[in-house]
Amino acid sequence: MRTSKKTRALYIIYILCCFVFFYLPIVVMMVFSFNSSKSLTNLTGFSLRWYERLINDGSIMKAVYVSLSIAVFATFISTILGTITAIGLSKSRKILRDIIQNINNIPIMNPDIVTAIGLMILFSSIMMTKGYLTMLLAHIAFCTPYVITSVYPKVRQMDPSIADAAMDLGATPFEALTKVIIPMLKDGIYAGILLSFTMSFDDFVISYFVTGNGVENISIVVYNMTKRTNPTINALSTIVILVIIIMLVVAKLIPAAHKGAMKRIFALLMAVILVFTVLTGLSGSKKTLRVFNSGEYIDPEVLTQFEEEYDCKVIYETFDSNESMYTKLKSGAEYDVIIISDYMIERLIKEETLQPIDWSLITNKDGLDPSVMGYAFDPKNEYSVPYFVGTVGILYNTNVVDEKDLEDGWELLRNQKYAGDIYMYDSERDSFMVALKALGYSMNTTDYDEIQQAYDWLINQRETMDVVYVGDDVIDNMSSGNKSIAVVYSGDGALIISQNDELDYFEPEEGTNEWCDSMVITENCQDVDLAHKYIDFMLREDVATANGIFVGYTSPVKSVKEELAETEFEGIDAYVPEFGRPNNETFGYQEMKIKEHFADLWTKVKAY
């Protein structure tokens, strides 16, 4: 049946729309990888600064190597295992074949998070040190079922008498396998190879839970980068996409006669990766310090400087939240120094997971600002040394928000004049903090009636204000002027104001969350002396200055805070919020019953 011109035109338009939908975001990302500023929405000029930073960032280049090597090895091993299993299944009895096929489908259908937790518990229970090997074994485990699924249908299509005929003609069983059976299965094997490589190279969830000792693939590094605006992600993604495009074009253009050359190149690549892996594994004679910190929360050059000055190696890992840090720590992962938030420090102190700080070894302690010491979670600073400090406040557009309305404090977030023009921070504790403080209650309350009133406050806000809950993307959204009001952390506020001078920051009189992220030493620290040297190093003026400029949060070193307030963050009040105000609090440890109650109410708020 002929199709009309109108129908064909509609088909073409539909196809074009699909391509635009699929590829426009990629094109936009590639364009912004050449943007001269950090903005992810406003083009300010052409620059290669993010590519330069990508090349100079050792952690990213190491992650690229880890991703490639793990993907290649996992693909090679899982292809062999999967192919042999598929061939073996064809020779098995039906009942055994059905059982194995059903077992093989479980990891394919299983959610990644379940597989990840299971593998993490397995490695921990057998006391296996997490790192490169555990990640490789995990990738082999979840890639092999895909190879079996790809190869087995081809085995079923093959005439089993062909292998018998080959052996009747004098071939050995091995020759029959390699010269007859495998060539006939090559389409299925190639499909399995592509699936395995893609699944391994792209994996995040399983890798995140089974790795350790500073071993991170690209997915983990990119995920941690998203904690703050980092256009280096765009540069890295652009390079990956271009490499894939080049490989596809080359594979399409190379004639069949030269396919053997591609195989030899692949074999050479595997050999190079293997040698590099062995050499990397043998270079471990230096003292080692294992540091666990939030993503994008340190200047990478500071780590390099510490390694050079103390002739040691820093195994630096990152986490996305205090809760995920706690999960990894309790699953058996071992670290020497951890940088975590106030309430989590209190929890670890209660669980006797930390060891006291030997303040006699902290030579730079006199430079610490007294106003950020002695918080309720560790009143005598027996276990913690401040790393960065700040508050939670309201960022607002001075051209839109009436100064008189600021007198409403947190109730500004329910002022009908600004309906549809507000970002709330997507955080359970901080959102309830806003509501509790607006109602005049403690943000650490355990009174169920007060918590219910705070819940009603948040629900009322959802009903009347059309607020949008966002994470760290609030930085770029507010810098671009997408909305006029946002609940932000002071450090993020300082960064945003430095990019948009129409904005300002204030803390309501009812009080707010005055947080303190601190450095702590774990109970099972393997080099206590080096751990103290690291903490002392981070408090040194030149180091704290470099780190403060890179991160943007308030330094606990008084001289550095004052210097940056007069230079990098001149005129930006968000960089130096007023610490120690009467109504300010730090988050305390929540008992499980209260924590679950808050979590249940928060789920209802988000689902409203």
Side-chain angles (χ1 to χ4, degrees), residues 139 166 202 216 230 320 357 379 442 448 481 532 536 553 557:
H139 281 230
D202 190 50
E216 296 178 327
N230 192 336
D320 66 316
I357 300 292
S442 167
Y448 283 90
H532 280 89
D536 190 48
Y553 280 96
V557 180

Side-chain angles (χ1 to χ4, degrees), residues 43 66 114 123 128 178 181 220 268 272 311 317 345 369 458 497 505 529:
L43 286 170
V66 170
V114 176
F123 293 137
M128 191 171 186
T178 56
I181 297 176
I220 296 174
L268 178 62
V272 170
D311 190 28
E317 289 188 50
I345 295 173
D369 188 345
L458 291 171
I497 294 170
Y505 175 90
D529 181 61

